[in-house]
Amino acid sequence: MFKDSTILVTGGTGSWGQELVSQLLVYDPKAIIVFSRSESTQVAMKRHFDDPRLHFRIGDVRDKEALVAATRGVDYVFHLAALKHVPVCEDQPYEALKTNVVGTQNIIEASIENKVKKVINISTDKAANPSNFYGMTKAIGEKLIIYANLLRSETTFVCVRGGNVLGTNGSVVHLFKKQIAEKGEVGITHKDMTRFFLTVEEAISLLLKATAEGKGGEIFIMKMPTCKIIDLAEVLAEHMGVSDLKFVELGIRPGEKLHEILYSEYEAQNSVVFDRDYVVVLPPLEIPGLKESYAGCRKVGDDEYSSEFSLMDKEEIYTMLRKGGFL
């Protein structure tokens, strides 16, 4: 699919972006354009990969002209760029709006103008029944991407929604390891808080699968294991030889949920089981031929997909952390 193609990755210097580039290079693309705002991380990434197929462009998704220039001759766009931290987006909502909503619309318009084959928008579990501004902006971004399939262009638009990815910038794993090593204690917002987790390698593999399978207009949702945050901290502490780990309960931050969901009860009405890795949410909009493509798939049921249930035990958490290279 990607052989001899030109690919643009927005936000490509982040943890997701670097793993995505690493896996895409295996498919022998003609070129991968890494589009991001940070000069220093681009220089570091260029030195790390040292591959002539990689090209770097400084730019911001808020700048439509820069995106129009960057998408010329591009076959596939992976839209990863976003403001992602819940507290930052709560404190500076207008900045989140400009990046996560206006930036996504700029991607859509630039891709259509340059006849990109397919755009893959990376979303988050926080877009499902959102309780914070970050989730709201990503939910609007999803709607824009889905609606773009009705604009009678040559470009197909697909969404992929996932949960927390281990080891990404700002990951709780790095924070907990630092707190355990320095203080023998960790700060948690609530002792019962749960989250979805996946290693970055697994997340990107699933992302590429959705890219190949996506028809346009649907949201692919990665099935992800869940765990209690307190259990994650305890597994890390046990591995680091700290037996009397202390917890400081900080309280749930503005906009933060006790449990996340990957799809809501409302979305469940239009969701089908694609395979063992994915659920597909079909839009309420009528996109020609889309529902027929999934007619053979069974419905997921009527309940939301919550991180509260089917929790991993400590042995499973240990296996996940070891697979991700954190132990």
Side-chain angles (χ1 to χ4, degrees):
M1 179 179 181
F2 299 115
K3 184 175 174 58
D4 295 326
S5 63
T6 299
I7 304 163
L8 175 70
V9 182
T10 71
T13 55
S15 306
W16 272 72
Q18 295 206 36
E19 179 61 31
L20 174 59
V21 167
S22 179
Q23 293 194 30
L24 284 172
L25 286 171
V26 176
Y27 292 90
D28 198 21
K30 178 182 177 182
I32 298 177
I33 303 165
V34 176
F35 183 95
S36 72
R37 297 178 300 175
S38 174
E39 177 189 25
S40 59
T41 52
Q42 285 196 9
V43 171
M45 185 175 176
K46 183 176 183 178
R47 289 172 179 166
H48 172 74
F49 279 92
D50 191 24
D51 192 308
R53 293 171 293 176
L54 287 189
H55 304 271
F56 294 85
R57 292 188 70 121
I58 300 291
D60 195 318
V61 293
R62 301 178 183 189
D63 183 348
K64 183 184 171 183
E65 289 183 8
L67 283 174
V68 170
T71 50
R72 289 194 184 108
V74 167
D75 299 298
Y76 299 97
V77 171
F78 288 89
H79 180 37
L80 278 66
L83 292 184
K84 301 179 176 72
H85 290 273
V86 170
V88 172
C89 295
E90 290 296 300
D91 290 342
Q92 302 179 68
Y94 186 50
E95 298 305 315
L97 180 74
K98 287 189 286 186
T99 296
N100 297 354
V101 177
V102 177
T104 299
Q105 183 61 28
N106 287 341
I107 286 285
I108 291 167
E109 293 176 13
S111 298
I112 289 174
E113 183 172 332
N114 286 308
K115 297 181 172 56
V116 171
K117 292 178 184 176
K118 186 176 281 189
V119 174
I120 303 90
N121 178 59
I122 315 306
S123 191
T124 168
D125 52 4
K126 293 172 180 61
N129 196 15
S131 63
N132 52 60
F133 198 80
Y134 168 54
M136 291 174 186
T137 61
K138 294 299 283 185
I140 294 171
E142 287 184 352
K143 295 287 188 184
L144 291 172
I145 287 288
I146 290 165
Y147 174 75
N149 289 279
L150 296 175
L151 298 179
R152 298 182 181 179
S153 74
E154 298 177 28
T155 308
T156 298
F157 297 86
V158 177
C159 275
V160 178
R161 186 192 292 172
N164 293 333
V165 176
L166 289 168
T168 54
N169 295 331
S171 169
V172 71
V173 174
H174 298 313
L175 176 62
F176 282 174
K177 289 179 76 171
K178 185 175 187 292
Q179 291 178 341
I180 292 166
E182 294 179 357
K183 304 177 183 178
E185 66 179 33
V186 297
I188 59 169
T189 52
H190 194 285
K191 63 182 178 62
D192 294 324
M193 184 167 283
T194 63
R195 287 295 182 265
F196 295 100
F197 283 105
L198 206 62
T199 67
V200 66
E201 293 84 2
E202 291 171 325
I204 297 304
S205 294
L206 292 175
L207 171 60
L208 294 178
K209 179 179 177 182
T211 303
E213 299 288 350
K215 307 294 187 297
E218 68 271 64
I219 301 173
F220 279 82
I221 293 179
M222 300 174 184
K223 295 180 182 177
M224 304 178 76
T226 69
C227 74
K228 290 180 74 170
I229 298 298
I230 197 170
D231 289 345
L232 179 68
E234 287 178 346
V235 170
L236 287 169
E238 289 167 12
H239 179 75
M240 295 170 69
V242 177
S243 57
D244 57 343
L245 182 67
K246 297 179 179 62
F247 292 96
V248 179
E249 198 159 344
L250 306 172
I252 295 177
R253 297 173 296 184
E256 195 172 44
K257 292 180 181 179
L258 188 60
H259 309 292
E260 293 290 0
I261 60 172
L262 276 170
Y263 58 76
S264 65
E265 290 182 19
Y266 171 75
E267 290 176 315
Q269 299 171 29
N270 295 308
S271 298
V272 297
V273 177
F274 183 71
D275 59 18
R276 68 176 187 174
D277 297 322
Y278 271 109
V279 166
V280 170
V281 179
L282 299 172
L285 295 169
E286 192 62 43
I287 296 177
L290 183 60
K291 289 181 180 177
E292 290 78 2
S293 298
Y294 294 95
C297 300
R298 65 178 176 86
K299 292 290 189 76
V300 298
D302 299 322
D303 297 325
E304 65 184 19
Y305 184 177
S306 172
S307 65
E308 183 179 5
F309 307 109
S310 303
L311 295 167
M312 288 185 285
D313 58 31
K314 287 188 176 181
E315 187 175 333
E316 290 170 319
I317 296 171
Y318 179 88
T319 300
M320 175 185 69
L321 289 170
R322 191 173 179 184
K323 186 190 298 183
F326 303 105
L327 299 180

